[in-house]
Amino acid sequence: MSGSIPLSSPYLDERDEELVLEVLRSGRLSLGPAIDRFEELFAEKVGAPYAAAVSSGTAGLHLLCAIAGLEEGDEVITSPYSFVASANCFIYEGATPVFADVDERTMNLDPAAVEAAITERTKAIVAVDIFGYPCELDPLRELCERHGLVLIQDACEALGAEYKGGRVGSHGVDAVFAFYPNKQLTTGEGGIVATHDEETWRALVSLRNQGRADGGGWLEHARLGYNYRIDDIRAALGTGQLEKLETILALRQAAAARYGELLAGVDGLEAPLADDADHVRSWFVYVVTLARGTDRERVIAELERQGIATSRYLPSIHLQAYMRERYGFSEGLCPVSEDLSQRTLALPFFTAIDAEDQERVAEALAATLAG
Ligand SMILES: Cc1ncc(COP(=O)(O)O)c(C=O)c1O
């Protein structure tokens, strides 16, 4: 058997090393110029006037929830078919999660389900671009305007995705991106908030830095803040990554297209939803949906035996143990999400994935499904 194929792998080169080394040699490891450079380049890449880098995507989401003024008793509507951070971010502020079901095709929030979930206590919507597929921004924005709600876009998986011809981040909605090593772009750990509002940006910059005020001293704190700073080492790595963002996106697009071709004739699975005029996915992961009745555990075990890593992306958030315990959520609340959670499977996928490895994955998957 040939070597094992990981689920993900970062895409790093000598330029990244050079930029990180530059910071190490400069002695300015935090609160230095590498952060400004990273933020400026990022803002330009996504088409937003401001960007504030933070220690993680979760931190960015939490700060937007704090800035929205969420408090105990408020409800926030979000997607159950996501990574837990998109719900945790407002629970930290005392708000209650309300899960609206997703659209089976896009796997993103269904605007009609969101509308049906709005009550007089609803204060915000956290919309996720799951697996890099842009959410229904316009209908959700319209709902928010009509009901006076804050809209937060969890674009942690969607750097480079496009909605109605504009990159996610360019539409005027505050959007958070994340840079864990499995993402399109990595800083190790890290995240960034793209905003079109100068006041929000100022609040983010203060809150991430222990609530320090603009122009104030190191030990002067204007508000309750956090240490959600990124450092210059990570920001430099982020700049190296951003410099090759278009190459990264193109390579991932090509790898996804290759999987599409390899899996086209395979019975028993559905490929990820194709792009259309309004939605262009940024390829974060390659997730197939297995036919109902397939024994997913058998597929996972067989691929694992052949050295091929897979993952059960994604469990429904409302069925996580702490959610059941805290809010009493149970099966049946979001049937579409729950069904997807049973059937979706992430295949090995990363920027420099080898075409031959993809062939091996596709062949193993086809044989297992046929067996
Ligand atoms: C949809 C979504 N939201 C939020 C996050 C949180 O980002 P981080 O891991 O940087 O805190 C992630 C990252 O895994 C994510 O995929």
Side-chain angles (χ1 to χ4, degrees), residues 29-51:
L29 303 191
S30 193
L31 293 166
I35 297 172
D36 299 335
R37 209 174 308 134
F38 177 50
E39 289 174 336
E40 278 161 28
L41 189 54
F42 189 90
E44 189 188 307
K45 285 284 181 193
V46 300
Y50 307 98

Side-chain angles (χ1 to χ4, degrees), residues 30-334:
S30 193
L31 293 166
I35 297 172
D36 299 335
R37 209 174 308 134
F38 177 50
E39 289 174 336
E40 278 161 28
L41 189 54
F42 189 90
E44 189 188 307
K45 285 284 181 193
V46 300
Y50 307 98
V54 285
S55 53
S56 69
T58 307
L61 289 165
H62 181 202
L63 290 186
L64 285 181
C65 291
I67 291 167
L70 297 176
E71 49 191 46
E72 204 84 33
D74 291 343
E75 292 177 357
V76 178
I77 301 173
T78 192
S79 170
Y81 193 73
S82 178
F83 182 67
V84 287
S86 50
N88 290 348
C89 60
F90 54 82
I91 296 175
Y92 299 148
E93 293 299 301
T96 303
V98 173
F99 292 101
D101 213 345
V102 295
D103 179 311
E104 191 182 9
R105 289 175 60 252
T106 65
M107 304 184 184
N108 283 325
L109 274 176
D110 173 357
V114 172
E115 184 161 23
I118 294 174
T119 72
E120 71 276 10
R121 289 209 290 274
T122 309
K123 288 284 156 30
I125 297 172
V126 176
V128 185
D129 304 309
I130 208 64
F131 304 152
Y133 197 85
C135 67
E136 299 310 317
L137 214 48
D138 278 355
L140 292 173
R141 195 150 49 167
E142 192 274 321
L143 275 181
C144 286
E145 278 162 17
R146 192 143 45 86
H147 294 272
L149 312 177
V150 173
L151 181 57
I152 294 171
Q153 188 169 14
D154 178 345
C156 286
E157 301 184 354
L159 174 58
E162 290 174 28
Y163 178 70
K164 297 196 174 171
R167 275 211 169 151
V168 166
S170 71
H171 302 90
V173 177
D174 295 341
V176 182
F177 300 83
F179 307 133
Y180 184 73
N182 67 343
K183 298 292 193 292
Q184 292 88 330
L185 176 156
T186 190
T187 58
E189 296 285 355
I192 203 164
V193 185
T195 180
H196 291 241
D197 182 54
E198 188 181 347
E199 213 179 305
T200 299
W201 177 74
R202 288 193 186 285
L204 288 165
V205 168
S206 170
L207 287 171
R208 75 176 173 188
N209 189 19
Q210 304 281 20
R212 291 185 173 94
D214 210 9
W218 183 248
L219 294 178
E220 288 166 31
H221 305 269
R223 52 183 70 79
L224 175 68
Y226 307 85
N227 182 352
Y228 280 173
R229 295 187 301 263
I230 200 164
D231 56 66
D232 285 62
I233 304 164
R234 289 187 281 163
L237 174 54
T239 297
Q241 297 267 291
L242 270 182
E243 285 178 358
K244 50 185 163 285
L245 178 65
E246 307 312 319
T247 305
I248 289 175
L249 295 175
L251 285 169
R252 295 177 85 94
Q253 165 68 42
R258 201 175 306 122
Y259 263 143
E261 285 164 23
L262 291 166
L263 296 171
V266 177
D267 283 336
L269 66 80
E270 229 176 286
L273 181 64
D275 295 343
D276 61 27
D278 290 345
H279 308 80
V280 176
R281 187 194 299 270
S282 168
W283 288 93
F284 162 52
V285 281
Y286 195 90
V287 174
V288 296
T289 307
L290 303 179
R292 286 192 183 81
T294 307
D295 182 352
R296 185 174 62 171
E297 294 311 307
R298 187 182 69 83
V299 175
I300 291 169
E302 178 53 27
L303 293 180
E304 194 180 330
R305 200 187 59 76
Q306 296 186 40
I308 298 169
T310 59
S311 187
R312 300 165 189 83
Y313 276 27
L314 282 160
S316 291
I317 298 176
H318 62 287
L319 298 182
Q320 296 283 353
Y322 75 105
M323 285 279 171
R324 290 176 187 265
E325 218 169 278
R326 197 167 166 153
Y327 303 102
F329 296 135
S330 60
E331 282 79 4
L333 182 71
C334 296

